[in-house]
Amino acid sequence: MSIASELSGTKHDSLSFLQGVKDCIPTLLGYVCVGFAAGIVGASSGVSTMEIALMSALVYAGASQFIMCSMLAVASPPSVIILTTFIVNARHLLLSASLAPYFSKYSLWKNIGIGVLLTDESFGVASDKLAKGGQVSDRWMNGLNITAYLAWIASCVAGGILGNWISRPEVFGLDFALPAMFLALLISQLQSVHTSKLKHRLLLVLCMAVLMYPLSWWVPSHIAVIVATMITATIGVLTDK
């Protein structure tokens, strides 16, 4: 076999569906842990196992599922739940837009399939591969996304089943899964920020925390989060250089 053939074969293998599955394996522990906690918290909030399975399959967003469960537990209006979920997941528009140029040669339906199953973790794996000079393909991305998708649903359902026997998840610290996940996402985002803009981002985080305190006195906390987020995002856009 010639050197060119060997290189071609290596390139083909690195873009295969199976390689996408393999590249997803290091991130599976995160999906399993957070999904398991999300299922338990969902069950303790009164969400049935079937509803948890449907929520995991249709919403497929850890932070949003935690928020939805907590808002369902306090009987928040559907409009507020939908708006909050949209705001929390709005970052995926930017994630998809960032990867879109690398999949422009594929059909619209393939791109929709890739974008719908894109997560923070799969975006991180793809970005890391590209940053190291690698290439991505629709087959590789589908292997990555579908493996994560199935692991997430299975973890949430398993957590939901176990959650039927755990009435107080806070005893085991599982209620901290959401704050812990947000902290992990925040740290992950800050690590990718250029040093010159790190101070600006940290000031926005502080601004968000300061705004939440007075707003929580005037409006319900779920409304305060939306208002504080919109004010902070506006300040961030106006002050970003």
Side-chain angles (χ1 to χ4, degrees):
M1 181 180 292
S2 66
I3 296 178
S5 299
E6 291 183 5
L7 291 175
S8 177
T10 302
K11 179 181 177 181
H12 178 76
D13 291 341
S14 68
L15 299 177
S16 66
F17 182 92
L18 180 58
Q19 186 60 47
V21 174
K22 292 179 179 178
D23 289 343
C24 183
I25 291 176
T27 67
L28 287 182
L29 182 61
Y31 286 108
V32 171
C33 291
V34 178
F36 198 67
I40 293 177
V41 171
S44 66
S45 301
V47 182
S48 70
T49 303
M50 180 58 71
E51 290 170 336
I52 290 173
L54 289 174
M55 186 186 297
S56 304
L58 299 177
V59 179
Y60 186 41
S64 296
Q65 288 181 220
F66 275 102
I67 293 173
M68 289 176 68
C69 290
S70 63
M71 297 182 79
L72 287 171
V74 297
S76 298
S79 58
V80 175
I81 296 176
I82 294 172
L83 179 59
T84 303
T85 302
F86 174 78
I87 292 175
V88 171
N89 287 328
R91 69 185 186 283
H92 286 88
L93 294 173
L94 299 177
L95 300 183
S96 298
S98 178
L99 291 181
Y102 300 97
F103 297 95
S104 58
K105 62 182 178 182
Y106 300 113
S107 68
L108 174 63
W109 287 112
K110 284 188 176 181
N111 275 278
I112 291 175
I114 291 171
V116 165
L117 296 183
L118 187 67
T119 66
D120 297 286
E121 291 80 1
S122 60
F123 172 79
V125 174
S127 298
D128 184 63
K129 187 180 180 72
L130 292 168
K132 293 179 179 176
Q135 295 183 331
V136 293
S137 70
D138 58 337
R139 299 186 305 276
W140 178 82
M141 200 68 203
N142 285 331
L144 182 71
N145 280 341
I146 292 174
T147 303
Y149 182 62
L150 296 177
W152 175 257
I153 295 174
S155 302
C156 288
V157 171
I161 294 172
L162 181 62
N164 291 320
W165 286 276
I166 300 177
S167 58
R168 296 179 59 197
E170 65 273 13
V171 173
F172 302 94
L174 295 173
D175 59 320
F176 190 67
L178 178 60
M181 189 181 69
F182 274 123
L183 284 174
L185 289 173
L186 175 62
I187 293 172
S188 175
Q189 292 294 318
L190 292 178
Q191 286 178 333
S192 62
V193 173
H194 192 275
T195 307
S196 60
K197 293 190 175 183
L198 184 59
K199 182 180 179 181
H200 178 254
R201 299 296 189 272
L202 291 175
L203 287 174
L204 291 176
V205 173
L206 179 62
C207 177
M208 177 76 184
V210 171
L211 283 172
M212 276 297 297
Y213 186 76
L215 286 172
S216 298
W217 285 89
W218 294 96
V219 296
S221 58
H222 56 272
I223 299 294
V225 169
I226 296 174
V227 175
T229 301
M230 294 178 68
I231 294 175
T232 304
T234 303
I235 294 174
V237 171
L238 295 176
T239 58
D240 190 23
K241 297 179 180 179

